[in-house]
Amino acid sequence: MRTLCSALTLCMAIALCTPSARYVTLPGYAFKTNPQCQRHEPKTKFDNKCDWPRVGIKDFTPPLVTVLGI
């Protein structure tokens, strides 16, 4: 029980001390963005330096998949 309480206290301390997420969703922006970043693109376009893709993996192209009829 003592070990469990120690582990729980340590996890809570780590969670409280870690910085908040760098990328946040802001109204009017097409992607999650870092509010402290100096943008080079309009907020409706993706800025490589300041934005994070909302869905999926950046520059991901899915493989060609053929659907076979049954």
Side-chain angles (χ1 to χ4, degrees):
M1 184 70 172
R2 189 175 184 186
T3 305
L4 179 63
C5 290
S6 299
L8 184 59
T9 303
L10 179 63
C11 289
M12 288 175 49
I14 291 171
L16 292 174
C17 294
T18 55
S20 61
R22 192 167 91 174
Y23 297 100
V24 295
T25 303
L26 296 174
Y29 286 77
F31 299 92
K32 285 188 174 183
T33 189
N34 181 355
Q36 286 81 30
C37 184
Q38 179 65 39
R39 296 186 67 81
H40 298 287
E41 297 288 335
K43 61 185 181 179
T44 56
K45 290 190 174 187
F46 184 77
D47 190 328
N48 285 329
K49 185 177 178 187
C50 300
D51 292 338
W52 188 258
R54 183 177 293 176
V55 177
I57 301 169
K58 182 180 168 191
D59 298 331
F60 175 75
T61 304
L64 181 61
V65 177
T66 304
V67 177
L68 300 174
I70 297 176

CSV table of all heavy atoms in Angstrom, one decimal:
chain,number,residue,atom,x,y,z
A,1,MET,N,0.8,-1.2,0.0
A,1,MET,CA,0.0,0.0,0.0
A,1,MET,C,0.9,1.3,0.0
A,1,MET,O,0.5,2.2,-0.7
A,1,MET,CB,-0.9,-0.1,1.2
A,1,MET,CG,-1.9,1.1,1.3
A,1,MET,SD,-3.1,0.9,0.0
A,1,MET,CE,-4.2,2.2,0.4
A,2,ARG,N,2.0,1.2,0.7
A,2,ARG,CA,2.9,2.3,0.8
A,2,ARG,C,3.5,2.6,-0.6
A,2,ARG,O,3.6,3.8,-1.0
A,2,ARG,CB,3.9,2.0,1.8
A,2,ARG,CG,4.8,3.2,2.2
A,2,ARG,CD,5.7,2.8,3.3
A,2,ARG,NE,6.5,4.0,3.7
A,2,ARG,CZ,7.5,3.9,4.6
A,2,ARG,NH1,7.7,2.8,5.2
A,2,ARG,NH2,8.2,5.0,4.9
A,3,THR,N,3.8,1.6,-1.3
A,3,THR,CA,4.4,1.7,-2.6
A,3,THR,C,3.4,2.3,-3.6
A,3,THR,O,3.7,3.2,-4.4
A,3,THR,CB,4.9,0.4,-3.1
A,3,THR,OG1,5.8,-0.2,-2.2
A,3,THR,CG2,5.6,0.5,-4.4
A,4,LEU,N,2.2,1.9,-3.5
A,4,LEU,CA,1.1,2.4,-4.3
A,4,LEU,C,0.9,3.9,-4.1
A,4,LEU,O,0.8,4.7,-5.1
A,4,LEU,CB,-0.2,1.6,-4.1
A,4,LEU,CG,-1.4,2.0,-4.9
A,4,LEU,CD1,-1.1,1.8,-6.4
A,4,LEU,CD2,-2.6,1.3,-4.5
A,5,CYS,N,0.9,4.3,-2.9
A,5,CYS,CA,0.7,5.7,-2.5
A,5,CYS,C,1.8,6.5,-3.1
A,5,CYS,O,1.7,7.6,-3.6
A,5,CYS,CB,0.5,5.9,-1.0
A,5,CYS,SG,-1.1,5.3,-0.4
A,6,SER,N,3.1,6.0,-2.9
A,6,SER,CA,4.2,6.7,-3.4
A,6,SER,C,4.2,6.9,-4.9
A,6,SER,O,4.5,7.9,-5.5
A,6,SER,CB,5.5,6.0,-3.0
A,6,SER,OG,5.6,5.9,-1.6
A,7,ALA,N,3.8,5.8,-5.6
A,7,ALA,CA,3.7,5.8,-7.1
A,7,ALA,C,2.7,6.8,-7.5
A,7,ALA,O,2.9,7.6,-8.5
A,7,ALA,CB,3.5,4.4,-7.6
A,8,LEU,N,1.5,6.8,-6.8
A,8,LEU,CA,0.4,7.7,-7.2
A,8,LEU,C,0.9,9.2,-7.0
A,8,LEU,O,0.6,10.0,-7.8
A,8,LEU,CB,-0.8,7.4,-6.4
A,8,LEU,CG,-2.0,8.2,-6.7
A,8,LEU,CD1,-2.4,8.0,-8.1
A,8,LEU,CD2,-3.2,7.8,-5.7
A,9,THR,N,1.5,9.5,-5.9
A,9,THR,CA,2.0,10.8,-5.6
A,9,THR,C,3.0,11.2,-6.7
A,9,THR,O,3.0,12.4,-7.1
A,9,THR,CB,2.6,10.9,-4.2
A,9,THR,OG1,1.7,10.4,-3.3
A,9,THR,CG2,3.1,12.3,-3.9
A,10,LEU,N,3.9,10.4,-7.0
A,10,LEU,CA,4.9,10.7,-8.1
A,10,LEU,C,4.3,11.0,-9.4
A,10,LEU,O,4.6,11.9,-10.1
A,10,LEU,CB,5.9,9.5,-8.2
A,10,LEU,CG,7.0,9.7,-9.3
A,10,LEU,CD1,7.9,10.9,-8.9
A,10,LEU,CD2,7.8,8.4,-9.4
A,11,CYS,N,3.3,10.2,-9.8
A,11,CYS,CA,2.6,10.4,-11.1
A,11,CYS,C,1.8,11.7,-11.1
A,11,CYS,O,1.8,12.4,-12.1
A,11,CYS,CB,1.6,9.2,-11.3
A,11,CYS,SG,2.4,7.7,-11.7
A,12,MET,N,1.2,12.0,-9.9
A,12,MET,CA,0.5,13.3,-9.9
A,12,MET,C,1.5,14.5,-10.0
A,12,MET,O,1.2,15.5,-10.6
A,12,MET,CB,-0.3,13.4,-8.6
A,12,MET,CG,-1.5,12.5,-8.6
A,12,MET,SD,-2.4,12.4,-7.0
A,12,MET,CE,-2.6,14.1,-6.6
A,13,ALA,N,2.6,14.4,-9.3
A,13,ALA,CA,3.6,15.5,-9.4
A,13,ALA,C,4.1,15.6,-10.8
A,13,ALA,O,4.3,16.8,-11.3
A,13,ALA,CB,4.8,15.1,-8.4
A,14,ILE,N,4.4,14.5,-11.5
A,14,ILE,CA,4.8,14.6,-12.9
A,14,ILE,C,3.8,15.3,-13.8
A,14,ILE,O,4.1,16.1,-14.6
A,14,ILE,CB,5.3,13.2,-13.4
A,14,ILE,CG1,6.5,12.8,-12.7
A,14,ILE,CG2,5.5,13.3,-14.9
A,14,ILE,CD1,6.9,11.3,-13.0
A,15,ALA,N,2.5,14.9,-13.6
A,15,ALA,CA,1.4,15.4,-14.4
A,15,ALA,C,1.2,16.9,-14.2
A,15,ALA,O,1.0,17.6,-15.1
A,15,ALA,CB,0.1,14.6,-14.1
A,16,LEU,N,1.4,17.3,-12.9
A,16,LEU,CA,1.2,18.8,-12.6
A,16,LEU,C,2.4,19.6,-13.1
A,16,LEU,O,2.2,20.8,-13.3
A,16,LEU,CB,0.9,18.9,-11.1
A,16,LEU,CG,-0.4,18.4,-10.6
A,16,LEU,CD1,-0.4,18.5,-9.1
A,16,LEU,CD2,-1.6,19.1,-11.3
A,17,CYS,N,3.6,19.0,-13.2
A,17,CYS,CA,4.8,19.8,-13.5
A,17,CYS,C,5.1,19.8,-15.0
A,17,CYS,O,5.9,20.6,-15.4
A,17,CYS,CB,6.0,19.2,-12.7
A,17,CYS,SG,5.8,19.5,-11.0
A,18,THR,N,4.5,19.0,-15.8
A,18,THR,CA,4.7,19.0,-17.2
A,18,THR,C,4.1,20.2,-17.8
A,18,THR,O,2.9,20.6,-17.5
A,18,THR,CB,4.3,17.7,-17.9
A,18,THR,OG1,2.9,17.5,-17.6
A,18,THR,CG2,5.1,16.5,-17.4
A,19,PRO,N,4.7,20.8,-18.8
A,19,PRO,CA,4.1,22.0,-19.5
A,19,PRO,C,2.9,21.6,-20.3
A,19,PRO,O,2.7,20.5,-20.7
A,19,PRO,CB,5.2,22.5,-20.4
A,19,PRO,CG,6.1,21.4,-20.6
A,19,PRO,CD,6.0,20.5,-19.3
A,20,SER,N,2.0,22.6,-20.5
A,20,SER,CA,0.8,22.3,-21.3
A,20,SER,C,1.2,22.1,-22.7
A,20,SER,O,2.3,22.4,-23.2
A,20,SER,CB,-0.2,23.4,-21.1
A,20,SER,OG,0.4,24.6,-21.6
A,21,ALA,N,0.2,21.6,-23.5
A,21,ALA,CA,0.5,21.3,-24.9
A,21,ALA,C,0.9,22.5,-25.7
A,21,ALA,O,0.4,23.6,-25.4
A,21,ALA,CB,-0.8,20.7,-25.5
A,22,ARG,N,1.8,22.4,-26.6
A,22,ARG,CA,2.3,23.5,-27.3
A,22,ARG,C,1.4,23.9,-28.4
A,22,ARG,O,1.2,25.1,-28.7
A,22,ARG,CB,3.7,23.1,-27.9
A,22,ARG,CG,4.4,24.3,-28.5
A,22,ARG,CD,5.8,23.9,-28.7
A,22,ARG,NE,6.0,23.4,-30.1
A,22,ARG,CZ,7.1,23.1,-30.6
A,22,ARG,NH1,8.2,23.2,-30.0
A,22,ARG,NH2,7.1,22.6,-31.9
A,23,TYR,N,0.7,22.9,-29.0
A,23,TYR,CA,-0.2,23.2,-30.1
A,23,TYR,C,-1.7,23.2,-29.5
A,23,TYR,O,-2.1,22.2,-28.9
A,23,TYR,CB,-0.1,22.1,-31.2
A,23,TYR,CG,1.3,22.2,-31.8
A,23,TYR,CD1,2.3,21.3,-31.4
A,23,TYR,CD2,1.6,23.1,-32.8
A,23,TYR,CE1,3.5,21.3,-32.0
A,23,TYR,CE2,2.9,23.1,-33.4
A,23,TYR,CZ,3.8,22.2,-33.0
A,23,TYR,OH,5.0,22.3,-33.5
A,24,VAL,N,-2.4,24.2,-29.8
A,24,VAL,CA,-3.8,24.4,-29.4
A,24,VAL,C,-4.7,24.7,-30.5
A,24,VAL,O,-4.3,25.2,-31.6
A,24,VAL,CB,-3.9,25.5,-28.3
A,24,VAL,CG1,-3.1,25.1,-27.0
A,24,VAL,CG2,-3.4,26.8,-28.8
A,25,THR,N,-6.0,24.4,-30.3
A,25,THR,CA,-7.0,24.8,-31.4
A,25,THR,C,-7.5,26.2,-31.1
A,25,THR,O,-8.0,26.5,-30.0
A,25,THR,CB,-8.1,23.8,-31.3
A,25,THR,OG1,-7.6,22.5,-31.5
A,25,THR,CG2,-9.1,24.1,-32.4
A,26,LEU,N,-7.3,27.1,-32.0
A,26,LEU,CA,-7.8,28.5,-31.9
A,26,LEU,C,-8.9,28.7,-32.9
A,26,LEU,O,-8.9,28.2,-34.0
A,26,LEU,CB,-6.7,29.4,-32.1
A,26,LEU,CG,-5.5,29.4,-31.1
A,26,LEU,CD1,-4.4,30.3,-31.6
A,26,LEU,CD2,-6.0,29.7,-29.7
A,27,PRO,N,-9.9,29.6,-32.6
A,27,PRO,CA,-11.0,29.9,-33.5
A,27,PRO,C,-10.4,30.6,-34.8
A,27,PRO,O,-9.6,31.5,-34.7
A,27,PRO,CB,-11.9,30.8,-32.8
A,27,PRO,CG,-11.3,31.0,-31.4
A,27,PRO,CD,-10.1,30.2,-31.3
A,28,GLY,N,-10.9,30.1,-36.0
A,28,GLY,CA,-10.4,30.8,-37.2
A,28,GLY,C,-9.2,30.1,-37.8
A,28,GLY,O,-8.9,30.5,-39.0
A,29,TYR,N,-8.5,29.3,-37.1
A,29,TYR,CA,-7.3,28.6,-37.6
A,29,TYR,C,-7.7,27.2,-38.2
A,29,TYR,O,-8.5,26.5,-37.6
A,29,TYR,CB,-6.3,28.5,-36.5
A,29,TYR,CG,-5.6,29.8,-36.2
A,29,TYR,CD1,-6.2,30.7,-35.4
A,29,TYR,CD2,-4.3,30.0,-36.7
A,29,TYR,CE1,-5.6,31.9,-35.1
A,29,TYR,CE2,-3.7,31.2,-36.4
A,29,TYR,CZ,-4.3,32.2,-35.6
A,29,TYR,OH,-3.7,33.3,-35.3
A,30,ALA,N,-7.1,26.9,-39.3
A,30,ALA,CA,-7.5,25.6,-39.9
A,30,ALA,C,-6.8,24.4,-39.2
A,30,ALA,O,-7.3,23.3,-39.3
A,30,ALA,CB,-7.1,25.6,-41.4
A,31,PHE,N,-5.7,24.6,-38.5
A,31,PHE,CA,-4.9,23.6,-37.9
A,31,PHE,C,-4.7,23.9,-36.4
A,31,PHE,O,-4.8,25.1,-36.1
A,31,PHE,CB,-3.6,23.3,-38.6
A,31,PHE,CG,-3.7,22.9,-40.0
A,31,PHE,CD1,-3.7,23.9,-41.0
A,31,PHE,CD2,-3.8,21.6,-40.4
A,31,PHE,CE1,-3.9,23.5,-42.4
A,31,PHE,CE2,-4.0,21.2,-41.7
A,31,PHE,CZ,-4.0,22.2,-42.7
A,32,LYS,N,-4.2,22.9,-35.7
A,32,LYS,CA,-3.8,23.2,-34.3
A,32,LYS,C,-2.5,24.0,-34.5
A,32,LYS,O,-1.7,23.7,-35.3
A,32,LYS,CB,-3.5,22.0,-33.5
A,32,LYS,CG,-4.7,21.2,-33.1
A,32,LYS,CD,-4.4,20.1,-32.1
A,32,LYS,CE,-5.6,19.5,-31.5
A,32,LYS,NZ,-5.3,18.4,-30.6
A,33,THR,N,-2.3,25.1,-33.7
A,33,THR,CA,-1.2,26.0,-33.9
A,33,THR,C,-0.5,26.3,-32.5
A,33,THR,O,-1.1,26.2,-31.5
A,33,THR,CB,-1.7,27.2,-34.6
A,33,THR,OG1,-0.5,28.0,-35.0
A,33,THR,CG2,-2.6,28.1,-33.8
A,34,ASN,N,0.7,26.8,-32.6
A,34,ASN,CA,1.5,27.3,-31.5
A,34,ASN,C,1.2,28.8,-31.4
A,34,ASN,O,1.7,29.5,-32.3
A,34,ASN,CB,2.9,26.9,-31.6
A,34,ASN,CG,3.8,27.4,-30.5
A,34,ASN,OD1,3.3,28.0,-29.6
A,34,ASN,ND2,5.0,27.1,-30.5
A,35,PRO,N,0.5,29.3,-30.4
A,35,PRO,CA,0.2,30.7,-30.4
A,35,PRO,C,1.4,31.6,-30.2
A,35,PRO,O,1.3,32.8,-30.6
A,35,PRO,CB,-0.7,30.8,-29.1
A,35,PRO,CG,-1.0,29.5,-28.6
A,35,PRO,CD,-0.1,28.5,-29.3
A,36,GLN,N,2.5,31.1,-29.7
A,36,GLN,CA,3.7,31.9,-29.6
A,36,GLN,C,4.6,32.0,-30.8
A,36,GLN,O,5.6,32.7,-30.8
A,36,GLN,CB,4.6,31.4,-28.4
A,36,GLN,CG,4.0,31.8,-27.0
A,36,GLN,CD,2.9,30.8,-26.6
A,36,GLN,OE1,3.0,29.6,-27.0
A,36,GLN,NE2,2.0,31.2,-25.8
A,37,CYS,N,4.2,31.3,-31.9
A,37,CYS,CA,5.0,31.2,-33.1
A,37,CYS,C,4.7,32.4,-34.0
A,37,CYS,O,3.6,32.8,-34.2
A,37,CYS,CB,4.7,29.9,-33.8
A,37,CYS,SG,5.7,29.6,-35.2
A,38,GLN,N,5.8,32.9,-34.7
A,38,GLN,CA,5.6,33.9,-35.7
A,38,GLN,C,5.2,33.2,-37.0
A,38,GLN,O,6.0,32.5,-37.6
A,38,GLN,CB,6.9,34.7,-35.8
A,38,GLN,CG,6.9,35.8,-36.9
A,38,GLN,CD,5.9,36.9,-36.5
A,38,GLN,OE1,5.8,37.3,-35.4
A,38,GLN,NE2,5.2,37.4,-37.5
A,39,ARG,N,4.0,33.5,-37.5
A,39,ARG,CA,3.5,32.8,-38.7
A,39,ARG,C,4.0,33.5,-40.0
A,39,ARG,O,4.3,34.7,-40.0
A,39,ARG,CB,2.0,32.9,-38.7
A,39,ARG,CG,1.3,32.1,-37.6
A,39,ARG,CD,-0.2,32.1,-37.8
A,39,ARG,NE,-0.6,31.3,-38.9
A,39,ARG,CZ,-0.7,30.0,-38.9
A,39,ARG,NH1,-0.4,29.3,-37.9
A,39,ARG,NH2,-1.1,29.4,-40.0
A,40,HIS,N,4.2,32.6,-41.0
A,40,HIS,CA,4.6,33.1,-42.3
A,40,HIS,C,3.5,32.8,-43.4
A,40,HIS,O,3.7,33.3,-44.5
A,40,HIS,CB,5.9,32.4,-42.8
A,40,HIS,CG,7.1,32.7,-41.8
A,40,HIS,ND1,7.7,33.9,-41.8
A,40,HIS,CD2,7.7,32.0,-40.9
A,40,HIS,CE1,8.6,33.9,-40.9
A,40,HIS,NE2,8.6,32.7,-40.3
A,41,GLU,N,2.5,32.1,-43.0
A,41,GLU,CA,1.3,31.8,-43.8
A,41,GLU,C,0.1,32.4,-43.2
A,41,GLU,O,0.0,32.6,-42.0
A,41,GLU,CB,1.2,30.3,-44.0
A,41,GLU,CG,2.4,29.6,-44.7
A,41,GLU,CD,2.4,29.9,-46.2
A,41,GLU,OE1,1.4,30.2,-46.8
A,41,GLU,OE2,3.5,29.8,-46.7
A,42,PRO,N,-1.0,32.6,-44.0
A,42,PRO,CA,-2.2,33.0,-43.4
A,42,PRO,C,-2.8,31.9,-42.5
A,42,PRO,O,-2.4,30.8,-42.6
A,42,PRO,CB,-3.2,33.3,-44.6
A,42,PRO,CG,-2.4,33.0,-45.8
A,42,PRO,CD,-1.0,32.6,-45.4
A,43,LYS,N,-3.7,32.3,-41.5
A,43,LYS,CA,-4.1,31.3,-40.6
A,43,LYS,C,-5.0,30.2,-41.2
A,43,LYS,O,-5.3,29.2,-40.6
A,43,LYS,CB,-4.9,32.0,-39.4
A,43,LYS,CG,-6.1,32.8,-39.8
A,43,LYS,CD,-6.6,33.5,-38.5
A,43,LYS,CE,-7.8,34.3,-38.8
A,43,LYS,NZ,-8.3,34.9,-37.6
A,44,THR,N,-5.5,30.4,-42.4
A,44,THR,CA,-6.3,29.4,-43.1
A,44,THR,C,-5.4,28.4,-43.9
A,44,THR,O,-5.9,27.4,-44.4
A,44,THR,CB,-7.2,30.1,-44.1
A,44,THR,OG1,-6.5,30.9,-45.0
A,44,THR,CG2,-8.3,30.9,-43.4
A,45,LYS,N,-4.1,28.6,-44.0
A,45,LYS,CA,-3.2,27.7,-44.7
A,45,LYS,C,-2.2,27.1,-43.7
A,45,LYS,O,-1.9,27.7,-42.6
A,45,LYS,CB,-2.4,28.5,-45.7
A,45,LYS,CG,-3.2,28.9,-46.9
A,45,LYS,CD,-2.3,29.4,-48.0
A,45,LYS,CE,-3.1,29.7,-49.3
A,45,LYS,NZ,-2.3,30.0,-50.4
A,46,PHE,N,-1.7,26.0,-44.0
A,46,PHE,CA,-0.7,25.3,-43.1
A,46,PHE,C,0.6,26.0,-43.1
A,46,PHE,O,1.2,26.3,-44.1
A,46,PHE,CB,-0.6,23.8,-43.6
A,46,PHE,CG,0.3,23.0,-42.7
A,46,PHE,CD1,-0.2,22.5,-41.5
A,46,PHE,CD2,1.6,22.7,-43.1
A,46,PHE,CE1,0.6,21.7,-40.7
A,46,PHE,CE2,2.4,21.9,-42.2
A,46,PHE,CZ,1.9,21.5,-41.1
A,47,ASP,N,1.1,26.2,-41.9
A,47,ASP,CA,2.4,26.8,-41.7
A,47,ASP,C,3.3,25.8,-41.1
A,47,ASP,O,3.1,25.3,-40.0
A,47,ASP,CB,2.3,28.0,-40.8
A,47,ASP,CG,3.6,28.9,-40.7
A,47,ASP,OD1,4.7,28.3,-40.9
A,47,ASP,OD2,3.5,30.1,-40.6
A,48,ASN,N,4.4,25.4,-41.9
A,48,ASN,CA,5.2,24.3,-41.4
A,48,ASN,C,5.9,24.5,-40.1
A,48,ASN,O,6.1,23.6,-39.3
A,48,ASN,CB,6.4,24.0,-42.5
A,48,ASN,CG,5.9,23.3,-43.7
A,48,ASN,OD1,4.9,22.5,-43.6
A,48,ASN,ND2,6.5,23.6,-44.8
A,49,LYS,N,6.2,25.7,-39.8
A,49,LYS,CA,6.9,26.0,-38.5
A,49,LYS,C,5.9,26.1,-37.3
A,49,LYS,O,6.3,25.7,-36.2
A,49,LYS,CB,7.6,27.4,-38.7
A,49,LYS,CG,8.4,27.8,-37.5
A,49,LYS,CD,9.1,29.1,-37.8
A,49,LYS,CE,10.0,29.5,-36.6
A,49,LYS,NZ,10.5,30.8,-36.7
A,50,CYS,N,4.7,26.5,-37.5
A,50,CYS,CA,3.8,26.8,-36.4
A,50,CYS,C,2.6,25.8,-36.2
A,50,CYS,O,2.0,25.8,-35.2
A,50,CYS,CB,3.2,28.2,-36.6
A,50,CYS,SG,4.5,29.5,-36.6
A,51,ASP,N,2.3,25.1,-37.2
A,51,ASP,CA,1.1,24.3,-37.2
A,51,ASP,C,1.4,22.8,-37.1
A,51,ASP,O,2.4,22.3,-37.4
A,51,ASP,CB,0.2,24.5,-38.4
A,51,ASP,CG,-0.4,25.9,-38.5
A,51,ASP,OD1,-0.5,26.5,-37.4
A,51,ASP,OD2,-0.7,26.4,-39.6
A,52,TRP,N,0.4,22.1,-36.6
A,52,TRP,CA,0.4,20.6,-36.5
A,52,TRP,C,-0.8,20.1,-37.2
A,52,TRP,O,-1.9,20.6,-36.9
A,52,TRP,CB,0.4,20.2,-35.0
A,52,TRP,CG,0.6,18.8,-34.8
A,52,TRP,CD1,-0.3,17.9,-34.5
A,52,TRP,CD2,1.9,18.1,-34.9
A,52,TRP,NE1,0.2,16.6,-34.4
A,52,TRP,CE2,1.6,16.7,-34.6
A,52,TRP,CE3,3.2,18.5,-35.1
A,52,TRP,CZ2,2.6,15.8,-34.6
A,52,TRP,CZ3,4.1,17.5,-35.1
A,52,TRP,CH2,3.9,16.2,-34.8
A,53,PRO,N,-0.7,19.1,-38.0
A,53,PRO,CA,-1.9,18.6,-38.8
A,53,PRO,C,-3.0,18.1,-37.8
A,53,PRO,O,-2.7,17.5,-36.8
A,53,PRO,CB,-1.3,17.4,-39.6
A,53,PRO,CG,0.1,17.7,-39.7
A,53,PRO,CD,0.5,18.4,-38.4
A,54,ARG,N,-4.2,18.4,-38.1
A,54,ARG,CA,-5.3,18.1,-37.2
A,54,ARG,C,-5.5,16.6,-37.2
A,54,ARG,O,-5.8,16.0,-36.1
A,54,ARG,CB,-6.6,18.8,-37.7
A,54,ARG,CG,-7.8,18.6,-36.8
A,54,ARG,CD,-8.9,19.3,-37.2
A,54,ARG,NE,-8.7,20.7,-37.0
A,54,ARG,CZ,-9.5,21.7,-37.4
A,54,ARG,NH1,-10.7,21.4,-38.0
A,54,ARG,NH2,-9.3,22.9,-37.2
A,55,VAL,N,-5.4,15.9,-38.3
A,55,VAL,CA,-5.7,14.5,-38.4
A,55,VAL,C,-4.6,13.8,-39.1
A,55,VAL,O,-4.1,14.3,-40.1
A,55,VAL,CB,-7.1,14.3,-39.1
A,55,VAL,CG1,-7.3,12.8,-39.2
A,55,VAL,CG2,-8.2,14.9,-38.4
A,56,GLY,N,-4.2,12.7,-38.6
A,56,GLY,CA,-3.2,11.8,-39.4
A,56,GLY,C,-1.8,12.2,-39.2
A,56,GLY,O,-1.4,12.9,-38.3
A,57,ILE,N,-1.0,11.8,-40.1
A,57,ILE,CA,0.4,12.0,-40.1
A,57,ILE,C,0.8,12.9,-41.2
A,57,ILE,O,0.4,12.8,-42.3
A,57,ILE,CB,1.2,10.6,-40.2
A,57,ILE,CG1,0.7,9.7,-39.1
A,57,ILE,CG2,2.7,10.8,-40.2
A,57,ILE,CD1,1.2,8.2,-39.3
A,58,LYS,N,1.7,13.9,-40.9
A,58,LYS,CA,2.1,14.9,-41.8
A,58,LYS,C,2.8,14.2,-43.0
A,58,LYS,O,3.6,13.3,-42.9
A,58,LYS,CB,3.1,15.8,-41.2
A,58,LYS,CG,3.6,16.9,-42.1
A,58,LYS,CD,4.5,17.8,-41.3
A,58,LYS,CE,5.2,18.7,-42.2
A,58,LYS,NZ,6.3,19.4,-41.6
A,59,ASP,N,2.4,14.6,-44.2
A,59,ASP,CA,3.0,14.1,-45.5
A,59,ASP,C,2.7,12.6,-45.7
A,59,ASP,O,3.5,11.9,-46.4
A,59,ASP,CB,4.5,14.4,-45.6
A,59,ASP,CG,4.8,15.8,-45.6
A,59,ASP,OD1,4.0,16.6,-46.0
A,59,ASP,OD2,5.9,16.2,-45.1
A,60,PHE,N,1.6,12.1,-45.2
A,60,PHE,CA,1.3,10.7,-45.3
A,60,PHE,C,0.5,10.4,-46.6
A,60,PHE,O,-0.5,11.1,-46.8
A,60,PHE,CB,0.5,10.2,-44.1
A,60,PHE,CG,0.1,8.7,-44.2
A,60,PHE,CD1,1.0,7.7,-44.1
A,60,PHE,CD2,-1.2,8.4,-44.5
A,60,PHE,CE1,0.6,6.4,-44.2
A,60,PHE,CE2,-1.7,7.1,-44.6
A,60,PHE,CZ,-0.8,6.1,-44.5
A,61,THR,N,0.9,9.5,-47.4
A,61,THR,CA,0.1,9.1,-48.6
A,61,THR,C,-0.2,7.6,-48.4
A,61,THR,O,0.6,6.8,-48.2
A,61,THR,CB,1.0,9.2,-49.8
A,61,THR,OG1,1.4,10.6,-49.9
A,61,THR,CG2,0.2,8.9,-51.1
A,62,PRO,N,-1.5,7.3,-48.3
A,62,PRO,CA,-1.9,5.9,-48.1
A,62,PRO,C,-1.5,5.0,-49.3
A,62,PRO,O,-1.5,5.5,-50.4
A,62,PRO,CB,-3.4,6.0,-47.9
A,62,PRO,CG,-3.9,7.3,-48.6
A,62,PRO,CD,-2.7,8.2,-48.5
A,63,PRO,N,-1.2,3.8,-49.0
A,63,PRO,CA,-0.9,2.9,-50.1
A,63,PRO,C,-2.1,2.6,-51.0
A,63,PRO,O,-3.2,2.7,-50.6
A,63,PRO,CB,-0.4,1.6,-49.4
A,63,PRO,CG,-1.1,1.7,-48.0
A,63,PRO,CD,-1.2,3.1,-47.7
A,64,LEU,N,-1.8,2.2,-52.2
A,64,LEU,CA,-2.9,1.9,-53.1
A,64,LEU,C,-3.5,0.6,-52.7
A,64,LEU,O,-2.8,-0.4,-52.6
A,64,LEU,CB,-2.3,1.8,-54.6
A,64,LEU,CG,-3.3,1.4,-55.7
A,64,LEU,CD1,-4.4,2.5,-55.8
A,64,LEU,CD2,-2.6,1.3,-57.0
A,65,VAL,N,-4.8,0.6,-52.4
A,65,VAL,CA,-5.5,-0.6,-52.0
A,65,VAL,C,-6.5,-1.0,-53.0
A,65,VAL,O,-7.3,-0.1,-53.4
A,65,VAL,CB,-6.2,-0.3,-50.6
A,65,VAL,CG1,-6.9,-1.5,-50.1
A,65,VAL,CG2,-5.1,0.1,-49.6
A,66,THR,N,-6.6,-2.2,-53.3
A,66,THR,CA,-7.6,-2.7,-54.3
A,66,THR,C,-8.6,-3.5,-53.5
A,66,THR,O,-8.2,-4.4,-52.7
A,66,THR,CB,-6.9,-3.6,-55.3
A,66,THR,OG1,-5.8,-2.9,-55.9
A,66,THR,CG2,-7.9,-4.1,-56.3
A,67,VAL,N,-9.9,-3.2,-53.7
A,67,VAL,CA,-10.9,-3.9,-53.0
A,67,VAL,C,-11.4,-5.1,-53.9
A,67,VAL,O,-11.7,-4.9,-55.1
A,67,VAL,CB,-12.1,-3.0,-52.8
A,67,VAL,CG1,-13.3,-3.8,-52.1
A,67,VAL,CG2,-11.7,-1.8,-51.9
A,68,LEU,N,-11.3,-6.3,-53.4
A,68,LEU,CA,-11.7,-7.5,-54.1
A,68,LEU,C,-13.1,-7.8,-53.8
A,68,LEU,O,-13.6,-7.8,-52.7
A,68,LEU,CB,-10.8,-8.7,-53.7
A,68,LEU,CG,-9.3,-8.5,-53.9
A,68,LEU,CD1,-8.6,-9.7,-53.3
A,68,LEU,CD2,-9.0,-8.4,-55.4
A,69,GLY,N,-13.9,-8.0,-54.9
A,69,GLY,CA,-15.3,-8.4,-54.7
A,69,GLY,C,-15.4,-9.8,-54.3
A,69,GLY,O,-14.7,-10.7,-54.7
A,70,ILE,N,-16.4,-10.1,-53.5
A,70,ILE,CA,-16.6,-11.4,-53.0
A,70,ILE,C,-17.8,-12.1,-53.7
A,70,ILE,O,-18.8,-11.5,-54.0
A,70,ILE,CB,-16.9,-11.4,-51.5
A,70,ILE,CG1,-15.6,-10.9,-50.8
A,70,ILE,CG2,-17.2,-12.8,-51.0
A,70,ILE,CD1,-15.7,-10.8,-49.3
